[in-house]
Amino acid sequence: MLSGAIRHDAVRRIRAVLWYSDITGYTHLSESVQADQLIPLINDYAEAVIGAVKSAGGDVLKLIGDGVLAMFTSSRPEHACRAAIDAEHDLRLRLGQLARRRKTEGLPVADIHLGLHAGDVFYGNIGTPDRLDFTVVGQAVNEVSRISDMCHSTGRNMLCSSEFADLLLGEERDKLVSVGRFALKGVGKAKELFTLDPSLAAAGTTPKKMTTSRRRASVARP
């Protein structure tokens, strides 16, 4: 954690790729599933998300109810974006396996929607001397949450900002299509949002994953 700088007010400004995901239709699920099934459901889906993020070299910063805030950093921002895309692909595989297991056990099944964004954040200890939270804050954090929320109205399970899309290179950028410009709550300017080309998803085309050695070399935690 910032090379041991964990004292109160030890905060640093960094540029990061941000990930915010939560369970699709969580409010309905929480009202419809049995009380003793809700926490295990949240845990199962949190495990899938956290496993995918960590496997791709990301850092999980906060669990917010059913939501997960994470980030990817690198000296080369395009590598951080590539790692986030790898994590999203890995997540979908994990969700498929989880759905099959839960169906076999007669348990309710859910899905995850995801917002991806890139921007400057303040990273470090937030709070009071007797209650610190090591996390990120800033406008970009608010924006990635709003981008994730837009998955509901656009009918997509992943949306990313133009700031994120513009950092992707070559064929990875070509796999994204615009879903339009949207006014996000609490954000001053409308943002153009992107998602994976539905024709590629239907054809089973998925992003190629980086090799383990390349990922470790390119994704660096602060």
Side-chain angles (χ1 to χ4, degrees):
M1 290 192 281
L2 290 179
S3 300
I6 57 174
R7 68 185 185 278
H8 183 225
D9 292 334
V11 177
R12 186 172 71 182
R13 183 172 181 168
I14 62 171
R15 186 150 187 88
V17 167
L18 298 173
W19 163 300
Y20 189 87
S21 61
D22 55 14
I23 295 176
T24 303
Y26 173 74
T27 300
H28 173 72
L29 275 172
S30 65
E31 295 173 346
S32 59
V33 303
Q34 298 179 24
D36 61 348
Q37 293 181 347
L38 184 59
I39 296 302
L41 182 146
I42 294 174
N43 287 342
D44 275 352
Y45 283 90
E47 182 178 355
V49 172
I50 292 169
V53 168
K54 293 180 69 175
S55 179
D59 291 298
V60 175
L61 300 169
K62 187 183 288 290
L63 303 181
I64 311 168
D66 63 307
V68 177
L69 174 64
M71 74 175 185
F72 299 81
T73 57
S74 173
S75 59
R76 297 183 62 179
E78 66 273 20
H79 287 181
C81 287
R82 174 68 260 179
I85 290 293
D86 282 350
E88 193 275 342
H89 174 51
D90 186 15
L91 172 62
R92 299 303 161 190
L93 297 178
R94 291 171 186 257
L95 291 179
Q97 295 168 356
L98 178 57
R100 289 190 289 272
R101 176 178 70 77
R102 289 184 64 88
K103 286 179 180 178
T104 299
E105 296 173 359
L107 297 173
V109 173
D111 197 6
I112 296 289
H113 60 266
L114 167 66
L116 295 171
H117 186 33
D120 292 335
V121 295
F122 294 96
Y123 181 63
N125 282 293
I126 310 296
T128 64
D130 61 348
R131 180 60 176 91
L132 292 177
D133 191 8
F134 204 78
T135 187
V136 294
V137 296
Q139 181 62 15
V141 179
N142 298 332
E143 290 171 354
V144 73
S145 174
R146 302 305 184 192
I147 291 167
S148 177
D149 288 343
M150 289 302 302
C151 289
H152 297 287
S153 55
T154 60
R156 307 294 180 183
N157 60 21
M158 187 279 280
L159 290 172
C160 64
S161 66
S162 58
E163 290 88 346
F164 179 93
D166 289 345
L167 290 173
L168 288 174
L169 302 177
E171 65 177 16
E172 297 306 329
R173 176 62 180 83
D174 294 339
K175 291 175 182 177
L176 297 179
V177 293
S178 174
V179 296
R181 293 178 61 82
F182 299 89
L184 306 179
K185 183 179 179 181
V187 179
K189 296 174 61 178
K191 283 191 171 292
E192 186 174 14
L193 302 181
F194 296 80
T195 193
L196 181 67
D197 188 336
S199 65
L200 297 178
T205 303
T206 53
K208 295 180 180 178
K209 299 191 72 174
M210 292 191 298
T211 63
T212 301
S213 58
R214 179 184 168 192
R215 179 184 298 129
R216 289 176 177 169
S218 63
V219 180
R221 297 180 177 85

